[in-house]
Amino acid sequence: MSQQHTAPGLRAWLGLTVVLGPVLLVSMDGSILFLAMPRISQALLPTADQALWILDGYGFAVGSLLIASGNLGDRYGRLKLLVIGATVFGIGSALAAYAPNAELLIAARALMGVAGATLLPSALAVLSELFADPRRRAQAIGVFAAAFAAGFAIGPVVGGLVLERFWWGSVFLVNVPVVALFLLLAPGLLREVRTKRAGRIDALSVVTSALGLLLVIYAVKAAATEGLSGSTVIAGVAGAALLAWFARRQLSLRQPLMDFSLFRDRLFSLAIVTGLLPLAAWSATAYLAGVYLQSVLGLSVLHAALLAIPGAVVLTITCVVTPSVADRIGKRTALIACHFSIAGGLLFLLPTAITGGIGWYVTATVVTGIGYGISFSVVADTAVGAVPVERAGAAGAIAETSNELGNALGIALLGSLAALVFRLQGPDLAPTLDETLHLRDLAPALATEAKTAFVTGLHVVAAVASALHVVLGVVAVATRRGGGGPGSRPVVAAGRRGGRRRPSGPAAGARRRPAGEPARSRPAERR
C-alpha cells in the first residue's frame, strides 16, 4: 500500500478540522435554544405555538431537505454546495440574532435549517475525497460522528454559558466566526466532489412531504394550545392527505425521495424508529427541563447550563465507546439497552416538584445519556447493515433524516402535549408559563398553580416517552429472538467489509452509492 494511503498528509487532517466546524454548528443549533427560550420569551413575547416553531422549525427544515440536498450536491458539486450552505447559515444566524419579533425569528431559523440540510451530506462526501484509504477514512468519519453527537449534547451548555454574559441573540452569533473561518480556509484545503450521473430530484415529493409535515404539526400545536377548531381540523386532514399521497408517489418513482420498501425489514424499521424516538424524547424533555430549572426553580441560566454538563459528558463518552462494545454484544442488544436505559432515566423526572428536584434532573440526564449515546452511534450502522449492499445509500439517508425529524417532532408533538396539560391544569391566564408569571399583579397562589401545571406537563411527557421506549425495547427483544426479517444480515457481520468496520452514526452516508449510479455487482456475502 502506498504511503499516500497509509498516512494522510497535513492537508487531510486540517481539512477534517475545518469540516467539523459546520457539522458542530448544524447539530448544536438543534439544541442550543433549550436554555435560551425563557430569555427569548421575555424579549419577544411569542405565543405558545410560536415558541414551539422557534424551537423546531429549524429541525423540520433540516430533516425535510436532507435527502434532496444530497442529490443537489451530487449534481452541482459538494464543495460548492458546502460553501453556499455555510454562507447562508451564517446570514441566517445573523438575522436570527437581531430578529425584532417572533415571526422573523421563526423565518430566520427556517433559513438556517435549509442551509443546514446542505452541510451534512456535502461534508461527508468531501471527507471521502480527503481520505482515500478506507481505514483512515473510517477513522475520520468516526471523528465526524462523535462531533455530530457532541454538538447535540453541548448545545444547551454553550447556550447557557453565553447567555450568562450576553443577550439572547448571542446564541446565534456564536455561529458567525465559525462560518467565517470555514469560508476562509475551505477553498485551500478542500476539493470539489461531484457525480457524473446524478439522479433527478423530484421537486413535487420535496414540496408535498414538507408541506404535509408542516400542516399536521400546525394542527397538533393549535389543538394543544387553543383547542379544536374548524381550521385546525382542515389543516390536519389536508396534511395527512398530502403525506399519504407522498408515500404513494414514492412507490411509483424510479428514484424515490424515500424508499419505503426498505421498511419491510423489521430490523431496519426498528433502527429508524430508534433514530427518531430517542431524539424526540431528548429534545422535548431537555426543552421542558430548561424552562423548569429557570422559570419554576428560579435558577440562573449559568446554573442550569452547569447542571446539563454531566448528562452531556455521559452522552458523548457513550457515543465514542459504543461502536467497540456493540461489535462484541451485537447491534440488536445495543438497541435494547438504548431503549430501556432511556425509559428508566426518564422516570427520574417524575419526582421533580416546584420546590426542588435538581438531583432527580441530573440523574435523569446521566441515565438517559447512555441511551441517547447508543442511539447516535448504532442507528445508521444497524439500518445500513440490515439491507442489501446496493440499497445502503438509501438506508443511510433515511437514518440521518430520522434523527433530524425526531429532534423536531419531539418538541412539536411532546411539547404540544405539555402545552395541552398546562392549558387544562393551569390558571388559564396565558398560554405559557413564562407569559403567566410575567402578568402584572399575579397572585402568589396563581403563580404556584401555573408552576404546578407546568411540572405536571413535564411529568406526563416523561411518562409517555418512557412508555414508548419500553414498547420499543420489548419489540427489540422480540426482533432479536425472531431474527431481523427477510433480507437482513447478522448485525455484527454486517458491520464488516473486508475486515473493516462500517462507520456508525452520520458516517454511514460517506460510502453511499451516488444517486442515479447503478449498483455494482458484488460477490455473495457470508450471511
Side-chain angles (χ1 to χ4, degrees):
M1 184 176 292
S2 67
Q3 181 69 17
Q4 178 184 1
H5 282 188
T6 56
L10 180 63
R11 169 185 165 265
W13 296 111
L14 288 176
L16 170 63
T17 303
V18 169
V19 167
L20 290 182
V23 171
L24 271 172
L25 294 183
V26 172
S27 58
M28 191 172 69
D29 270 80
S31 61
I32 199 169
L33 295 188
F34 292 162
L35 291 181
M37 278 309 296
R39 290 278 192 91
I40 293 176
S41 296
Q42 294 172 21
L44 302 182
L45 300 177
T47 64
D49 57 336
Q50 285 177 335
L52 294 177
W53 280 119
I54 290 171
L55 285 163
D56 58 26
Y58 171 83
F60 278 122
V62 175
S64 300
L65 300 174
L66 196 60
I67 298 176
S69 296
N71 203 311
L72 278 173
D74 288 338
R75 181 182 294 272
Y76 299 111
R78 296 288 192 175
L79 180 56
K80 181 185 295 182
L81 194 64
L82 192 58
V83 170
I84 294 173
T87 302
V88 176
F89 195 90
I91 293 172
S93 299
L95 292 175
Y98 296 101
N101 53 53
E103 292 84 358
L104 289 179
L105 179 55
I106 293 171
R109 287 278 288 171
L111 180 63
M112 292 171 63
V114 172
T118 69
L119 297 178
L120 291 179
S122 298
L124 280 168
V126 168
L127 278 186
S128 67
E129 186 278 329
L130 286 173
F131 296 87
D133 176 60
R135 190 176 299 275
R136 295 291 188 178
R137 184 167 61 242
Q139 293 175 351
I141 291 173
V143 176
F144 178 102
F148 184 80
F152 271 113
I154 68 174
V157 179
V158 172
L161 293 176
V162 170
L163 287 175
E164 180 64 17
R165 300 193 62 180
F166 304 102
W167 98 110
W168 64 266
S170 59
V171 298
F172 300 109
L173 288 183
V174 296
N175 298 333
V176 175
V178 178
V179 168
L181 186 62
F182 171 81
L183 294 176
L184 178 66
L185 299 177
L189 294 172
L190 308 178
R191 293 174 184 167
E192 186 58 275
V193 179
R194 63 163 52 89
T195 301
K196 295 181 179 179
R197 299 182 59 188
R200 185 179 69 88
I201 299 174
D202 184 49
L204 191 57
S205 293
V206 176
V207 173
T208 53
S209 61
L211 184 58
L213 275 172
L214 291 176
L215 286 173
V216 169
I217 298 306
Y218 165 78
V220 171
K221 291 178 177 179
T225 57
E226 302 171 8
L228 284 175
S229 65
S231 60
T232 299
V233 173
I234 292 173
V237 172
L242 281 174
L243 291 177
W245 187 86
F246 163 78
R248 185 174 181 178
R249 179 174 176 80
Q250 302 315 294
L251 299 177
S252 63
L253 292 176
R254 184 179 179 183
Q255 294 175 329
L257 189 65
M258 181 169 288
D259 190 352
F260 283 98
S261 65
L262 294 175
F263 288 91
R264 295 170 185 166
D265 186 283
R266 287 182 294 169
L267 182 58
F268 174 82
S269 298
L270 177 63
I272 297 305
V273 176
T274 302
L276 190 146
L277 184 58
L279 265 294
W282 180 73
S283 62
T285 53
Y287 159 58
L288 295 173
V291 178
Y292 167 74
L293 293 174
Q294 296 176 75
S295 299
V296 176
L297 298 185
L299 302 182
S300 68
V301 66
L302 176 61
H303 194 174
L306 294 176
L307 292 176
I309 290 178
V313 170
V314 170
L315 190 156
T316 304
I317 293 175
T318 304
C319 180
V320 173
V321 304
T322 290
S324 59
V325 175
D327 274 347
R328 295 180 182 143
I329 67 175
K331 301 297 190 297
R332 288 186 182 90
T333 303
L335 291 178
I336 295 169
C338 164
H339 290 299
F340 283 116
S341 63
I342 294 175
L346 289 172
L347 295 180
F348 284 103
L349 291 174
L350 299 184
T352 55
I354 64 171
T355 55
I358 292 177
W360 294 114
Y361 163 74
V362 173
T363 303
T365 62
V366 169
V367 177
T368 55
I370 298 173
Y372 297 143
I374 295 173
S375 173
F376 275 120
S377 297
V378 304
V379 164
D381 196 6
T382 305
V384 172
V387 302
V389 174
E390 63 271 13
R391 309 183 82 180
I398 295 175
E400 290 178 13
T401 302
S402 72
N403 280 334
E404 294 296 338
L405 288 181
N407 187 41
L409 286 172
I411 298 171
L413 300 181
L414 295 176
S416 294
L417 176 60
L420 175 62
V421 173
F422 182 80
R423 182 168 67 86
L424 297 177
Q425 299 290 323
D428 198 23
L429 299 175
T432 67
L433 175 62
D434 285 314
E435 287 179 286
T436 303
L437 295 179
H438 286 86
L439 292 174
R440 289 185 177 181
D441 301 323
L442 181 68
L446 292 176
T448 299
E449 183 181 352
K451 291 180 179 180
T452 302
F454 179 86
V455 173
T456 301
L458 171 62
H459 293 169
V460 170
V461 167
V464 169
S466 177
L468 290 174
H469 278 286
V470 168
V471 171
L472 280 181
V474 172
V475 171
V477 172
T479 302
R480 182 185 182 191
R481 292 174 179 173
S488 65
R489 300 188 292 274
V491 180
V492 175
R496 302 276 177 178
R497 293 288 182 270
R500 294 186 302 270
R501 183 183 169 275
R502 184 194 298 275
S504 59
R511 299 185 185 178
R512 296 178 190 161
R513 173 174 51 87
E517 182 178 312
R520 301 176 182 174
S521 59
R522 297 184 62 165
E525 294 182 304
R526 178 172 57 86
R527 295 180 180 264

